[in-house]
Amino acid sequence: MLGLSLVSLAQGGETMRFVHAPPEVSGDQRASYFWELLAAALESNRHVYGDYEIASYPVPMSHARTIAEMEAGGQGRVNIFVPGTNPDLETRLLPVRIPIDKGLLGYRLFLIMPETQARLDTVRDVGSLRQFTVGQGEPWADARILDANGFKLVLANGYVGLFKMLDARRFDLLSRGIDEIWSEWQLHKAHIPSVQIERTLILHYPMPRYYFVPRTAQGERMAQRIEDGLHRLSRSGEFDRRYLVYKRSVLGDLDLGGRRVLHIPNPFFVPSIPYSDRRWWDDLSSELRGPKRKSPAGAAADTSSPRSR
């Protein structure tokens, strides 16, 4: 995987280095697509900007520590990050305002314990969903969005602790991006066997992923190169090709047909790319129109033989 190894294309001259944090949990491959896309973008303009390296820092970092390291300038440590955007982060770090996940992160599914599903089957609107407690990481952008929309939150400092809290019934719902939840369920069901993916709802708010780099002179050069490369990939059709492969890999086992989509606003986000520009946004219309499966993957009905990737 490009996200787990060094990619060096040295041909002389100064090499532009991109160093990202490894996942907090061993075996978590959720970010691999973003580092592979980054490599493709950098390769597309290597003749203009020169050589590059992509490396994984050897020590895992929390969300908060990654931001702190990058605010310090990213000297010899982490200097690129791919979270969902928010105004505070865009002030502290330099965003490349292109939604590299086409907004998928803003479509939220829930990890739950089995006894919660029957109560969720009756939810028809946002008001009813607000009666459930939601686990969130304290520094996450989602926490601010849900809090602004009147949800009851239970906050944790670390990512791993949230799964333990769900198992202990400290809250009802662990909200995860639609492009994250299957791999996370697969990763955590070994030590939380009864955890399942809620099977009737999608919560949606606008929150794309951006590449972020330090607010330094070098960071500005990195951002310029990344943006140029992403536009080159878009014009050639390579961006869409990679995105569709990625979307099939993360959504292929999920049961999305017939789900109720509940929309809430994100008061902290103003898109720099309008939603009318369909090159950069996905509304999941084809997936949501699909038929409901008889045995929802990830739910209690059938978790014995998920397809391998």
Side-chain angles (χ1 to χ4, degrees), residues 147-204:
D147 181 65
N149 281 276
F151 283 85
K152 297 178 288 186
L153 304 182
V154 177
L155 300 178
N157 289 324
Y159 167 78
V160 176
L162 283 164
F163 294 88
K164 297 177 181 177
M165 292 167 69
L166 176 63
D167 191 27
R169 276 69 172 179
R170 293 277 302 280
F171 51 77
D172 301 313
L173 315 174
L174 180 51
S175 173
R176 306 305 299 143
I178 202 169
D179 55 344
E180 303 172 313
I181 196 164
W182 181 268
S183 63
E184 290 182 319
W185 173 70
Q186 292 274 59
L187 192 62
H188 291 279
K189 67 177 181 174
H191 56 272
I192 312 176
S194 56
V195 68
Q196 63 186 60
I197 300 172
E198 197 282 329
R199 58 178 180 255
T200 63
L201 301 171
I202 297 176
L203 181 66
H204 175 255

Side-chain angles (χ1 to χ4, degrees), residues 16 28 46 48 81 158 174 199 210 214 227-228 247 263 296 298:
M16 191 174 290
D28 185 352
R46 183 160 62 105
V48 178
F81 191 32
L174 180 51
R199 58 178 180 255
Y210 294 156
E227 182 171 0
D228 175 80
K247 184 169 76 162
H263 299 276

Side-chain angles (χ1 to χ4, degrees), residues 251-271:
L251 303 188
D253 289 298
L254 291 171
D255 183 23
L256 301 179
R259 284 177 179 261
R260 295 185 291 279
V261 183
L262 305 179
H263 299 276
I264 60 174
N266 179 352
F268 310 107
F269 175 60
V270 177

Side-chain angles (χ1 to χ4, degrees), residues 49-215:
Y49 291 90
D51 304 326
Y52 66 90
E53 295 176 353
I54 302 174
S56 175
Y57 191 68
V59 180
M61 295 184 184
S62 67
H63 188 106
R65 184 185 167 194
T66 300
I67 295 171
E69 291 281 349
M70 291 178 62
E71 278 191 299
Q75 297 300 319
R77 294 177 181 261
V78 171
N79 65 3
I80 190 165
F81 191 32
V82 284
T85 189
N86 68 76
D88 176 65
L89 195 57
E90 291 194 23
T91 299
R92 299 169 67 182
L93 303 177
L94 180 62
V96 179
R97 292 188 178 93
I98 293 176
I100 54 176
D101 66 344
K102 294 201 174 190
L104 280 188
L105 187 63
Y107 291 90
R108 314 297 291 185
L109 301 183
F110 303 113
L111 290 172
I112 62 171
M113 303 311 287
E115 66 273 12
T116 310
Q117 184 63 65
R119 295 166 55 206
L120 288 163
D121 287 343
T122 66
V123 170
R124 296 292 184 273
D125 53 41
V126 174
S128 300
L129 190 61
R130 289 193 187 103
Q131 304 309 307
F132 296 81
T133 53
V134 184
Q136 285 287 287
E138 190 167 1
W140 295 353
D142 309 83
R144 293 184 64 193
I145 297 167
L146 294 172
D147 181 65
N149 281 276
F151 283 85
K152 297 178 288 186
L153 304 182
V154 177
L155 300 178
N157 289 324
Y159 167 78
V160 176
L162 283 164
F163 294 88
K164 297 177 181 177
M165 292 167 69
L166 176 63
D167 191 27
R169 276 69 172 179
R170 293 277 302 280
F171 51 77
D172 301 313
L173 315 174
L174 180 51
S175 173
R176 306 305 299 143
I178 202 169
D179 55 344
E180 303 172 313
I181 196 164
W182 181 268
S183 63
E184 290 182 319
W185 173 70
Q186 292 274 59
L187 192 62
H188 291 279
K189 67 177 181 174
H191 56 272
I192 312 176
S194 56
V195 68
Q196 63 186 60
I197 300 172
E198 197 282 329
R199 58 178 180 255
T200 63
L201 301 171
I202 297 176
L203 181 66
H204 175 255
Y205 43 83
M207 193 179 70
R209 287 186 189 271
Y210 294 156
Y211 289 116
F212 283 85
V213 295
R215 283 193 171 276

